[in-house]
Amino acid sequence: DFSYRPGEPLGDYLVHVDFDKPPDHPSFEVNHHGYRLRESPCWQGPGAPGCLDCHDPHAKLSPTEIQTRTRDTCLSCHESMDCNVEEVMQIPQAEAQDCARCHMPSRFSSDAIHIEVTDHLIQKPISDEERLGPAADIPPPTAFEARVNEPQRFDVEAHVRNWEIMGEIIGNKSSNVDALDAGLAETDATAAEQLVLAQGYIDADRADDARRVLEQISTEHPDVAMAQKNLAKLEFDAGEPAQARQRLEKLIESDPDDAAAHQLRAAVLQSEGRIDEAIAALERSIALRGTDPAPLAQLGLLLASTGRFGDAIPALQRAEALAPGNPSTAYNLGLALWKAERQAEAARVWNHALTRSPNAPRLLQAAGITQSLPWPDLELDPTRGVELARRLLQGQAASPDAMLLLAAASLAAGDHPTAAEALNRASQMKADLGAIRLMQSMLIAELGNEAQGYELYQRVRPNITQLNMLRQGLLNRAGIVFDAP
């Protein structure tokens, strides 16, 4: 990153790699202005409307000036009579002067949380739901190709192909890693290129090949810290914690301010049962890089695992605030709040996180339980519980836990046939038998045979010793149904 010197041609320093993704992939990112404009019907190549037709690079225009400039650009091709928005949508004439308001609406991006930007795809008006943009947890594209922009600038074709494969590896596509290995052997690879190669082998679960490359870097470039950290991670994953810790401690001795090394060392120390040292290592990592959510989330989980929920909550809150689109952090924060008997706060965290990650399984499960079963300070919403359960089943049709949640939510909603069918299917899926029996006892009672239901409950209750959220919630409900402690 620091090899560039002022005065050198920027094009000789940077290789721009772009990605061809499937047209149906739903990503909408902050920097998609140019891409989206070029996808518009109005884009016809050079001479078509471009950035400078609406924006002035040398002055900040007022909203009114931008609106006028945009409208003038649109009317350079279209006639004002083409758009009858005043009559069709009953919009006041003053608002109808803003072409972009309807045809280039603002949307929420998928790569920057809580950021609303103008979608430069010129299109028909979209709904408010479409404006929300893709969810934060959308999967990466299943197929994409990297390509070097302006490849004719470079003399060596092998370099161009290597850079394209490196771009794909950075984008988590490692299928061409062997081709990169062969290509780098022909072009005197730099340490940075070898690091990308090693990462490709790590992503492809080829640890031996990754270690081979990293050890070569370590021998030829012993000052490359990233190679040492990746080697330590591979050693740790291979069940060699002592060797990994020694490597990291040597690295930290030479650079005490390496936050990532402290964070990885904490994981090694935790595996060795040296909890206090692991906490200290994470605190050091956070002190060095306080805007990184990863060590904060790791610290919160470590503290929670030792039962220190009160201490875990602030760390997880900071991590969630720094990366509010991360469903794992939100789930763990909610769980820590729940364990600290702050159920209402936990439910708010889970439900809020679902607005950004609507298909995250653990969020759906936790939020569904809070909506379907009785808890102190929480209001039941069985309809919402059924919705969440069906969304969970849609993504995990073979999940016994999802089927149990549907049964519990349907029971709460008074939909006894659906609850009975879900319980039968849960039983076939070898789901939690204690939870099934509890729900069966309540279902029997609510269908009119209270004595038989209560008898089943009395047989089941002594065997319910280990509690999770679902079991505890079912016991809460059974206590109400059978007026029992």
Side-chain angles (χ1 to χ4, degrees), residues 4 9 59 101 111 230 265 269 313-314 323 328 345 364 382 424 467:
Y4 175 75
R101 180 175 182 271
D111 62 334
N230 284 346
R265 178 172 172 268
L269 290 167
I313 289 168
S328 178
E345 293 176 69
L364 289 169
N424 286 334
L467 297 180

Side-chain angles (χ1 to χ4, degrees), residues 177-178 181 194 197-217 230-231 233-235 237-240:
V177 65
D178 286 321
D181 202 345
Q194 288 177 303
L197 172 63
Q199 187 61 53
Y201 280 128
I202 291 172
D203 294 342
D205 293 324
R206 294 170 58 177
D208 290 341
D209 287 312
R211 288 182 79 157
R212 166 180 58 81
V213 175
L214 290 168
E215 285 167 356
Q216 180 181 348
I217 301 172
N230 284 346
L231 276 172
K233 180 68 167 59
L234 290 173
E235 290 164 348
D237 292 343
E240 305 167 10

Side-chain angles (χ1 to χ4, degrees), residues 119-400:
D119 185 355
H120 282 64
L121 174 65
I122 303 171
Q123 59 194 298
K124 293 181 179 180
I126 61 176
S127 66
D128 289 342
E129 183 177 344
E130 291 173 299
R131 284 187 62 249
L132 291 176
D137 59 347
I138 58 172
T142 55
F144 64 91
E145 300 292 333
R147 54 180 169 79
V148 168
N149 287 343
E150 300 180 336
Q152 67 276 9
R153 291 197 297 120
F154 307 103
D155 297 331
V156 182
E157 185 177 339
H159 277 307
V160 172
R161 184 58 189 140
N162 289 347
W163 294 329
E164 290 175 339
I165 299 174
M166 289 168 65
E168 293 173 357
I169 288 173
I170 293 170
N172 296 322
K173 177 183 175 182
S174 58
S175 56
N176 291 324
V177 65
D178 286 321
L180 178 61
D181 202 345
L184 292 180
E186 300 175 1
T187 55
D188 297 327
T190 65
E193 291 172 323
Q194 288 177 303
L195 280 173
V196 177
L197 172 63
Q199 187 61 53
Y201 280 128
I202 291 172
D203 294 342
D205 293 324
R206 294 170 58 177
D208 290 341
D209 287 312
R211 288 182 79 157
R212 166 180 58 81
V213 175
L214 290 168
E215 285 167 356
Q216 180 181 348
I217 301 172
S218 182
T219 300
E220 298 175 356
H221 308 278
D223 58 333
V224 176
M226 183 60 72
Q228 300 296 331
K229 284 179 280 193
N230 284 346
L231 276 172
K233 180 68 167 59
L234 290 173
E235 290 164 348
F236 179 42
D237 292 343
E240 305 167 10
Q243 186 171 336
R245 176 169 44 77
Q246 290 167 8
R247 184 183 297 276
L248 289 167
E249 288 171 351
K250 184 177 180 181
L251 180 60
I252 290 170
E253 184 180 354
S254 62
D255 182 6
D257 293 338
D258 191 325
H262 287 286
Q263 182 186 348
L264 181 53
R265 178 172 172 268
V268 177
L269 290 167
Q270 182 180 357
S271 74
E272 295 177 322
R274 299 161 64 173
I275 302 301
D276 290 341
E277 293 178 75
I279 291 172
L282 284 171
E283 289 173 342
R284 178 60 179 155
S285 178
I286 293 165
L288 290 167
R289 195 164 55 192
T291 57
D292 184 355
L296 284 161
Q298 187 176 332
L299 176 62
L301 276 178
L302 176 54
L303 291 168
S305 70
T306 63
R308 296 167 57 180
F309 302 112
D311 295 327
I313 289 168
L316 290 168
Q317 285 175 327
R318 283 181 60 192
E320 206 274 338
L322 288 165
N326 187 317
S328 178
T329 302
Y331 171 78
N332 290 325
L333 171 58
L335 192 60
L337 288 164
W338 191 271
K339 295 284 188 179
E341 300 185 358
R342 295 160 61 177
Q343 283 91 347
E345 293 176 69
R348 281 197 297 271
V349 167
W350 288 326
N351 280 287
H352 180 70
L354 279 171
T355 63
R356 290 296 302 184
S357 305
N359 300 310
R362 292 193 297 175
L363 291 175
L364 289 169
Q365 175 82 6
I369 291 174
T370 67
Q371 302 289 286
S372 307
L373 296 168
W375 303 98
D377 302 323
L378 292 181
E379 292 186 13
L380 278 175
D381 188 349
T383 302
R384 167 78 168 160
V386 170
E387 176 203 340
L388 296 174
R390 293 197 181 281
R391 271 165 48 189
L392 182 59
L393 268 172
Q394 187 176 7
Q396 298 194 327
S399 167

Side-chain angles (χ1 to χ4, degrees), residues 405-427:
L405 179 59
L406 178 60
S410 300
L411 190 63
D415 184 353
H416 296 130
T418 300
E421 180 186 357
L423 285 174
N424 286 334
R425 292 176 63 187
S427 181

Side-chain angles (χ1 to χ4, degrees), residues 70-81:
T70 302
R71 179 176 173 80
D72 290 344
T73 301
C74 293
L75 294 181
S76 66
C77 291
H78 300 280
E79 298 291 337
S80 59
M81 65 183 67

